[in-house]
Amino acid sequence: MYDVVLLTLGSERDAPGGCGNGGACCGGATGADTDPTSQTTAGQADTAPTTAGHTDTGRTDAEQCATERPRVPVLACADALNARGARVETVTARSDAEIDAVLARFDGPARPDGLTWPDPDSKTRLVVATASDGQLRAVLRRLVRRYAPAPSRRPADLPANRTLPDLPPVAVLPLDPARGDTHRDLAAQLGLPRDPAAVAAAVLDGTPRRLDLLRNDGGSVTLDGALLGAADDAGRPLHWRARVEVDDAILTDGAEPLLACAVGNAGGYATLDDVTLLTAPDPADGKVEVAVAVPVVVRSAWGRKRVRLEVRRARGRAVSVLPREGKVPYLDDGVEGELTRKRSWWIEPGAWAVWSI
């Protein structure tokens, strides 16, 4: 029978030095992601103030993904696992180091090249209890941090289209079942079970469903997608400029104003109000879909001006966004930030997996 770890992420209020104090266990990349002792060297993350007046570090994510509610679904899932004979351990991680201690259980045997590699035959299974997609992303970011080799140490057995091995599958336990109806979080988009007993069944009886992962040069990852742009206090979208490229296609060169840009692995940012940005985002097709919304002034036959919204789309392996002026607010897997310099995302086909039936 399996050993199952039920992992919940705590907030920075639970323990000094935890989330938001260098550990960033609940969200975006920080200096901890540039630790030279790890296998890979990540880029520095943006640390400009966000629209909420915070910085795009673990503090913002911790405040958004803190789980202070009673964890009834966790207890119910543990009971269902125990009833099936699984050995269950519940862990609340309040720092990256505590997440890493859980993930170390998935390390494989020592390799001749000295790389830390996941065990493909592990008898331990991981359930991540999530109050937000940002929490799930936090765990996946630490998995990438643990197992992605530096470019100079790339092994021969790594797939040619990837920079990291197959990551250990995770089960997702949503802590707020109502969000499946009121908000299309990633679990809802993927059709994953939300009932604790059904999650337990997926862990013990299911198979890994492999999904694409977006890595970025800010040192983090994206599971669902990112939406760039902002609105004023009245809800009117603000214009901004950036050069947006998808592989060799240029969606905009930065000379014209934009209202929004969506970078989609899944469909969380497929629409904006009544505007369809992404038409067919698929988290398992090896492609990232990108769209920009551009206001275009046209004249009628009578010479009157009107503005129509033009949506340009492209699909590819990589995307870059280079702001032309100021700061561009964004949401990435629900986590707020501000882009102040070029940011690139690239797809890692089938790099992560969820337990599903």
Side-chain angles (χ1 to χ4, degrees), residues 108-288:
R111 291 169 53 104
D113 56 16
L115 292 174
T116 301
W117 219 245
D119 184 356
D121 299 318
S122 176
K123 299 304 180 184
T124 301
R125 298 196 169 179
L126 176 64
V127 180
V128 180
T130 62
S132 70
D133 289 343
Q135 286 189 322
L136 181 60
R137 182 182 78 161
V139 176
L140 265 294
R141 192 184 67 249
R142 296 313 299 174
L143 279 171
V144 170
R145 183 68 183 160
R146 185 168 194 85
Y147 296 122
S152 61
R153 301 186 65 191
R154 181 184 178 88
D157 57 343
L158 193 63
N161 61 350
R162 292 253 294 273
T163 66
L164 66 160
D166 286 354
L167 299 177
V170 301
V172 181
L173 174 63
L175 291 177
D176 184 359
R179 294 188 67 209
D181 298 325
T182 61
H183 178 79
R184 294 287 293 174
D185 60 12
L186 193 59
Q189 293 179 57
L190 297 175
L192 299 179
R194 308 185 76 88
D195 177 75
V199 173
V203 171
L204 299 180
D205 303 325
T207 56
R209 176 183 171 190
R210 301 222 66 88
L211 301 165
D212 301 334
L213 179 73
L214 283 173
R215 295 189 67 185
N216 68 57
D217 58 1
S220 192
V221 299
T222 300
L223 307 180
D224 185 351
L227 179 66
L228 294 88
D232 61 19
D233 292 339
R236 294 182 295 265
L238 300 174
H239 291 182
W240 52 283
R241 289 176 169 80
R243 181 182 177 91
V244 181
E245 299 180 63
V246 182
D247 292 350
D248 296 328
I250 300 175
L251 293 182
T252 175
D253 62 5
E256 57 196 340
L258 301 177
L259 294 184
C261 173
V263 177
N265 186 33
Y269 299 109
T271 61
L272 180 62
D273 294 332
D274 296 329
V275 179
T276 298
L277 297 176
L278 308 175
T279 57
D282 184 344
D285 66 352
K287 299 286 186 179
V288 57

Side-chain angles (χ1 to χ4, degrees), residues 1-354:
M1 185 48 67
Y2 297 107
D3 293 318
V4 180
V5 181
L6 247 168
L7 176 63
T8 302
L9 301 192
S11 78
E12 65 177 343
R13 291 186 295 277
D14 289 331
C19 290
N21 292 284
C25 73
C26 289
T30 68
D33 282 320
T34 60
D35 180 358
T37 64
S38 65
Q39 291 193 115
T40 182
T41 303
Q44 293 290 336
D46 283 327
T47 55
T50 69
T51 53
H54 300 297
T55 58
D56 186 24
T57 65
R59 168 174 286 274
T60 300
D61 287 358
E63 291 174 351
Q64 292 193 357
C65 71
T67 55
E68 302 298 332
R69 74 189 69 201
R71 295 169 175 83
V72 174
V74 175
L75 298 177
C77 188
D79 288 344
L81 290 165
N82 280 318
R84 292 282 305 275
R87 294 178 292 269
V88 183
E89 179 182 358
T90 58
V91 177
T92 299
R94 298 182 178 88
S95 68
D96 281 347
E98 292 178 342
I99 295 177
D100 292 345
V102 171
L103 302 184
R105 307 182 194 193
F106 298 89
D107 291 355
R111 291 169 53 104
D113 56 16
L115 292 174
T116 301
W117 219 245
D119 184 356
D121 299 318
S122 176
K123 299 304 180 184
T124 301
R125 298 196 169 179
L126 176 64
V127 180
V128 180
T130 62
S132 70
D133 289 343
Q135 286 189 322
L136 181 60
R137 182 182 78 161
V139 176
L140 265 294
R141 192 184 67 249
R142 296 313 299 174
L143 279 171
V144 170
R145 183 68 183 160
R146 185 168 194 85
Y147 296 122
S152 61
R153 301 186 65 191
R154 181 184 178 88
D157 57 343
L158 193 63
N161 61 350
R162 292 253 294 273
T163 66
L164 66 160
D166 286 354
L167 299 177
V170 301
V172 181
L173 174 63
L175 291 177
D176 184 359
R179 294 188 67 209
D181 298 325
T182 61
H183 178 79
R184 294 287 293 174
D185 60 12
L186 193 59
Q189 293 179 57
L190 297 175
L192 299 179
R194 308 185 76 88
D195 177 75
V199 173
V203 171
L204 299 180
D205 303 325
T207 56
R209 176 183 171 190
R210 301 222 66 88
L211 301 165
D212 301 334
L213 179 73
L214 283 173
R215 295 189 67 185
N216 68 57
D217 58 1
S220 192
V221 299
T222 300
L223 307 180
D224 185 351
L227 179 66
L228 294 88
D232 61 19
D233 292 339
R236 294 182 295 265
L238 300 174
H239 291 182
W240 52 283
R241 289 176 169 80
R243 181 182 177 91
V244 181
E245 299 180 63
V246 182
D247 292 350
D248 296 328
I250 300 175
L251 293 182
T252 175
D253 62 5
E256 57 196 340
L258 301 177
L259 294 184
C261 173
V263 177
N265 186 33
Y269 299 109
T271 61
L272 180 62
D273 294 332
D274 296 329
V275 179
T276 298
L277 297 176
L278 308 175
T279 57
D282 184 344
D285 66 352
K287 299 286 186 179
V288 57
E289 184 176 358
V290 183
V292 295
V294 185
V296 178
V297 178
V298 297
R299 290 181 180 274
S300 69
W302 301 100
R304 294 177 181 175
K305 293 182 179 179
R306 65 182 181 86
V307 177
R308 65 176 177 85
L309 195 61
E310 178 179 298
V311 179
R312 303 171 190 165
R313 304 179 181 91
R315 296 168 61 81
R317 289 289 312 279
V319 55
S320 66
V321 178
L322 174 62
R324 290 301 192 190
E325 54 191 15
K327 304 171 182 177
V328 181
Y330 66 83
L331 288 173
D332 191 327
D333 283 344
V335 179
E336 294 182 354
E338 284 187 339
L339 202 62
T340 60
R341 58 182 181 273
K342 185 177 180 179
R343 170 62 48 84
S344 297
W345 291 262
W346 66 91
I347 202 81
E348 299 278 348
W352 74 293
V354 292

